[in-house]
Amino acid sequence: MIAMTAMAIKVATITIMMMMMITINIKFTTNVSLDEGTFAFMHWMNSEDKKSLTSQNPIVLVKFVNDKHTILYDTDLQSEIYIEIDNGVPYCKHCKADDCSHVGFAICVEQFYGHRRGSGTEETVEDIIFDN
Ligand SMILES: [Zn+2]
């Protein structure tokens, strides 16, 4: 009887652990790209030359128009990435996705710099970086 109870506890524990692992796995697979974008943003924020496209930054901000679009430069892909913002929801034209690292970066830009001025105000990188 004691052995049966121990067995039942063991099975229950394993079941809970498996459920937790699945939950963690889902969380990671859906957020890993966005997290990469967040990391790239923090990297860019802390970099000395924010305008350098040949720097070690994976992603560089090129242009930002509040609530309209964000243009990034991906140094790995060596191309400009156009992020369209529709009703506050960013969409990457390059990846044709709304959860890639570029979108993660754009969300950070929006959260950090957006809504300071009127909607649709075009801000150059100089405005954004030096005119806080
Ligand atoms: Zn993308």
Side-chain angles (χ1 to χ4, degrees), residues 92 95 100 102:
C92 179
C95 305
C100 64
H102 310 121

mmCIF file of all heavy atoms in Angstrom, residues 92 95 100 102, ligand 1:
data_model
loop_
_atom_site.group_PDB
_atom_site.id
_atom_site.type_symbol
_atom_site.label_atom_id
_atom_site.label_comp_id
_atom_site.label_asym_id
_atom_site.label_seq_id
_atom_site.Cartn_x
_atom_site.Cartn_y
_atom_site.Cartn_z
ATOM 1 N N CYS A 92 6.669 43.030 -39.942
ATOM 2 C CA CYS A 92 7.925 43.074 -40.689
ATOM 3 C C CYS A 92 7.692 42.677 -42.138
ATOM 4 O O CYS A 92 7.242 41.574 -42.424
ATOM 5 C CB CYS A 92 8.939 42.126 -40.056
ATOM 6 S SG CYS A 92 10.508 42.095 -40.924
ATOM 7 N N CYS A 95 10.413 39.745 -43.209
ATOM 8 C CA CYS A 95 10.134 38.370 -42.781
ATOM 9 C C CYS A 95 8.684 37.975 -43.036
ATOM 10 O O CYS A 95 8.327 36.822 -42.904
ATOM 11 C CB CYS A 95 10.450 38.206 -41.301
ATOM 12 S SG CYS A 95 12.124 38.671 -40.855
ATOM 13 N N CYS A 100 9.121 38.480 -35.471
ATOM 14 C CA CYS A 100 10.539 38.266 -35.723
ATOM 15 C C CYS A 100 11.371 39.221 -34.858
ATOM 16 O O CYS A 100 10.821 40.072 -34.160
ATOM 17 C CB CYS A 100 10.857 38.457 -37.208
ATOM 18 S SG CYS A 100 10.569 40.133 -37.783
ATOM 19 N N HIS A 102 13.163 41.678 -35.763
ATOM 20 C CA HIS A 102 13.004 43.075 -36.197
ATOM 21 C C HIS A 102 11.800 43.715 -35.532
ATOM 22 O O HIS A 102 11.828 44.876 -35.138
ATOM 23 C CB HIS A 102 12.864 43.143 -37.722
ATOM 24 C CG HIS A 102 13.939 42.387 -38.445
ATOM 25 N ND1 HIS A 102 13.671 41.351 -39.313
ATOM 26 C CD2 HIS A 102 15.285 42.508 -38.381
ATOM 27 C CE1 HIS A 102 14.820 40.862 -39.770
ATOM 28 N NE2 HIS A 102 15.810 41.535 -39.227
HETATM 29 ZN ZN ZN B 1 11.801 40.614 -39.667
#
